[in-house]
Amino acid sequence: MNCAISGEVPEEPVVSTKSGLLFERRLIESHISDYGKCPVTGEPLTIDDIVPIKTGKVLKPKLLHTASIPGLLGTFQTEWDGLMLSNFALEQQLHTARQELSHALYQHDSACRVIARLKKERDEARQLLAEVERHIPAAPEAVTANAPLSNGKRAGGDEEMGPDAKKLCPGISADIITELTDCNAALSQKRKKRQIPETLASIDALGRFTQLSSHPLHKTNKPGICSMDILHSKDVIATGGIDTTAVIFDRPSGQILSTLSGHSKKVTSVKFVGDSDLVLTASADKTVRMWRDSGDGHYACGHTLNDHSEEVRAVTVHATNKYFVSASLDSTWCFYDLSSGLCLAKVADDSEKVDYTAAAFHPDGLILGTGTSQSVVKIWDVKSQANVARFDGHTGEVTSISFSENGYFLATAAEDGVKLWDLRKLRNFRSFLSTDANSVEFDPSGSYLGIAASDIRLYQTASVKAEWNLIKTLPDLSGTGKATCVKFGPDAQYVAVGSMDRNLRIFGLPGDEKVNVDDDSVQDS
């Protein structure tokens, strides 16, 4: 049996009555006098708690303490015992310190995690608060008390409730109708004197278009461009993506000017408002947002409009650049005042329930065209909000509509292809078979027509009886087999195409050739 402190056979063994451990008497008594507790268990221990054990003793000769080798050995033994006690105490203290350090490190790590989480929550709360403050619109101007009312929602301010618990909006006032009528008369008169610009790209030039560049504007984890618009005066392109953002892209420099983040679902439609710094976006999150350039190239959301109860599929801007319309799958379209973000009218067709998937203003502004998921195209009188015509004949959802600048033709795209309608006789006069056509677009001069489907086709426009010739078929280079939108650049100098990947592609003449309507003799580069 060995001492629990020194590990040697004790000369004067004693046993602790509390722990039952065996000790050398002199060692345990010294430890008790210094610390008052058991050196192993740490329990309080007194001299009375140790019991000596009787064993046979070896008698040693009584010699002088330092005058003989046994005396020196005794001295060394005493020093050794002290060293053992000190070493044992140090080991105990080291073990305790290690435990305390481990616990402190664990607490520090836990505290750091909690602090990081709280900081993240604080930053998110600040961001949400700042966004809410930005989105709270100014109170709209008071409207005429006698103005007719129709169901709708306002962007902000006090809102009246109708008897059916729906919010009321003021309706389109007589002053606005007069403004729309005057705009229509001015544009109609101007259209009669309309001439094709000399800088318009020639048919020969379009026939030699090829891909000039490809720009990855949207996120890779949610690829796909749903909509696009071009601000011709500045040659700036806006795209709306499945990744919930809209991107403002400067084509000449190839740089992204701004990324508009705020929608929670895909951006289904994007439109510039005239030549201003205002951009409209519609989304599957049931909202329309109005963005304005803050002056440093970054766009801030001025209004978030929540008047629809289902996905908003399209926005279209009136020729006055003071009003716009949104169309939704909730079977309504809304007429808005751009300055205040106020919904002036919310229109539904009581004769049948249809879900609106596309919308576009006639160039003169008094006619609104809408496409539906029920394959029907409806024509509306904006002044009375009455459905004045409908076109049947498509199969599947109407995905896109576009009015020609001449004011006579309407092009509509659907799953079965593209149809051309004569607005004077209200009939279909030509069809292009293009399975799953996603977008159709006249160029601003009305000279060309673009169709986006599994490929991109460019046509020369003509009259009702004349043939519309195919100029060029551009391949969908995205590899997805689905071009989603097509737009003509200024003077048709290029064509911008969006697809189900994240890239915006620009097609045009290779090199820096000047494309001119009279330049039919330019050689192939």
Side-chain angles (χ1 to χ4, degrees):
M1 294 172 45
N2 297 327
C3 173
I5 296 177
S6 65
E8 298 179 351
V9 178
E11 294 181 359
E12 293 182 79
V14 293
V15 176
S16 171
T17 59
K18 291 187 176 181
S19 64
L21 297 173
L22 182 69
F23 300 98
E24 177 71 53
R25 183 185 188 91
R26 66 178 184 279
L27 296 180
I28 189 64
E29 287 180 352
S30 176
H31 185 84
I32 291 174
S33 65
D34 290 339
Y35 300 104
K37 59 182 179 179
C38 178
V40 177
T41 63
E43 298 178 347
L45 191 66
T46 64
I47 299 296
D48 296 333
D49 294 327
I50 59 175
V51 177
I53 299 175
K54 294 181 179 181
T55 60
K57 297 183 179 180
V58 179
L59 295 176
K60 297 181 179 180
K62 297 180 180 180
L63 300 175
L64 292 176
H65 189 62
T66 59
S68 63
I69 292 177
L72 291 175
L73 292 176
T75 301
F76 293 154
Q77 183 67 50
T78 302
E79 293 180 358
W80 173 258
D81 292 343
L83 180 61
M84 287 295 101
L85 286 172
S86 177
N87 183 63
F88 184 80
L90 288 175
E91 288 181 351
Q92 291 290 93
Q93 292 175 4
L94 176 61
H95 180 68
T96 303
R98 282 177 174 173
Q99 288 183 327
E100 292 176 352
L101 177 60
S102 176
H103 185 65
L105 290 175
Y106 175 77
Q107 288 183 324
H108 178 267
D109 183 64
S110 300
C112 289
R113 291 175 182 272
V114 172
I115 292 171
R117 178 173 57 82
L118 292 176
K119 285 184 176 180
K120 181 180 179 181
E121 293 177 355
R122 180 201 65 186
D123 294 341
E124 290 177 350
R126 286 178 175 176
Q127 183 178 358
L128 289 175
L129 179 60
E131 189 167 332
V132 168
E133 290 176 348
R134 287 199 311 268
H135 294 174
I136 297 177
E141 297 181 9
V143 297
T144 306
N146 297 326
L149 298 177
S150 61
N151 290 334
K153 297 181 180 179
R154 301 187 185 187
D158 297 332
E159 296 173 325
E160 294 185 58
M161 302 296 290
D164 55 353
K166 291 184 178 180
K167 295 179 182 178
L168 300 177
C169 60
I172 302 177
S173 67
D175 292 339
I176 295 176
I177 292 176
T178 301
E179 184 179 8
L180 299 182
T181 304
D182 292 343
C183 177
N184 172 267
L187 292 176
S188 298
Q189 186 65 28
K190 183 179 178 181
R191 181 167 292 105
K192 295 178 181 179
K193 303 176 182 179
R194 180 178 63 95
Q195 294 182 351
I196 303 299
E198 295 182 356
T199 54
L200 183 70
S202 67
I203 298 174
D204 175 68
L206 264 68
R208 291 183 287 114
F209 273 11
T210 185
Q211 178 172 310
L212 300 180
S213 58
S214 177
H215 308 278
L217 303 185
H218 292 271
K219 298 177 182 177
T220 55
N221 59 339
K222 291 183 178 180
I225 296 177
C226 300
S227 58
M228 178 170 52
D229 195 24
I230 299 179
L231 181 58
H232 287 180
S233 61
K234 299 180 181 179
D235 204 359
V236 173
I237 302 174
T239 61
I242 293 179
D243 62 358
T244 73
T245 66
V247 175
I248 310 299
F249 175 75
D250 182 59
R251 191 199 66 83
S253 66
Q255 299 295 319
I256 294 177
L257 300 180
S258 183
T259 298
L260 315 184
S261 300
H263 285 294
S264 60
K265 294 184 179 180
K266 66 180 180 180
V267 178
T268 56
S269 183
V270 58
K271 287 289 181 183
F272 286 105
V273 179
D275 291 332
S276 68
D277 54 1
L278 191 63
V279 177
L280 303 176
T281 58
S283 171
D285 64 7
K286 308 175 187 178
T287 67
V288 175
R289 289 177 180 251
M290 302 169 62
W291 309 80
R292 188 177 294 279
D293 189 352
S294 57
D296 55 357
H298 296 284
Y299 284 73
C301 181
H303 294 287
T304 300
L305 311 177
N306 302 285
D307 298 283
H308 291 290
S309 58
E310 294 293 340
E311 176 178 333
V312 185
R313 281 291 189 87
V315 287
T316 178
V317 181
H318 189 268
T320 58
N321 294 320
K322 296 181 179 180
Y323 311 99
F324 75 94
V325 162
S326 64
S328 169
L329 295 181
D330 64 0
S331 303
T332 66
W333 57 267
C334 294
F335 186 92
Y336 288 96
D337 176 22
L338 268 166
S339 62
S340 64
L342 177 65
C343 178
L344 301 178
K346 188 173 183 179
V347 182
D349 190 349
D350 296 330
S351 62
E352 61 177 333
K353 184 180 183 302
V354 291
D355 303 325
Y356 297 110
T357 56
F361 272 111
H362 185 274
D364 292 341
L366 286 185
I367 294 176
L368 174 71
T370 57
T372 69
S373 58
Q374 288 74 23
S375 310
V376 178
V377 178
K378 293 197 170 189
I379 306 299
W380 302 81
D381 178 7
V382 178
K383 293 187 297 182
S384 62
Q385 300 100 62
N387 180 209
V388 294
R390 59 176 287 159
F391 299 136
D392 297 292
H394 272 300
T395 300
E397 177 182 300
V398 178
T399 56
S400 175
I401 66 175
S402 177
F403 287 95
S404 172
E405 179 61 25
N406 66 14
Y408 302 142
F409 299 148
L410 170 66
T412 58
E415 294 179 5
D416 59 346
V418 172
K419 292 184 180 295
L420 299 177
W421 310 87
D422 185 351
L423 298 176
R424 295 164 295 186
K425 298 184 178 180
L426 300 180
R427 67 181 183 88
N428 170 229
F429 67 90
R430 183 163 277 97
S431 298
F432 300 106
L433 296 179
S434 184
T435 305
D436 293 330
N438 299 301
S439 177
V440 62
E441 184 77 17
F442 284 101
D443 82 296
S445 71
S447 302
Y448 304 117
L449 177 73
I451 299 174
S454 58
D455 53 22
I456 303 94
R457 301 182 183 184
L458 307 180
Y459 289 87
Q460 177 190 9
T461 62
S463 63
V464 172
K465 296 182 179 180
E467 187 66 26
W468 292 48
N469 297 319
L470 176 63
I471 302 172
K472 180 73 173 181
T473 299
L474 303 170
D476 173 33
L477 300 177
S478 67
T480 62
K482 187 176 182 181
T484 54
C485 43
V486 58
K487 289 283 184 179
F488 288 92
D491 294 327
Q493 300 285 340
Y494 66 85
V495 172
V497 176
S499 303
M500 284 308 292
D501 65 349
R502 67 193 187 110
N503 294 307
L504 168 68
R505 290 178 170 81
I506 305 298
F507 293 85
L509 277 181
D512 297 325
E513 299 180 38
K514 181 180 179 181
V515 184
N516 194 295
V517 70
D518 297 325
D519 188 9
D520 293 330
S521 61
V522 177
Q523 297 181 355
D524 292 343
S525 61

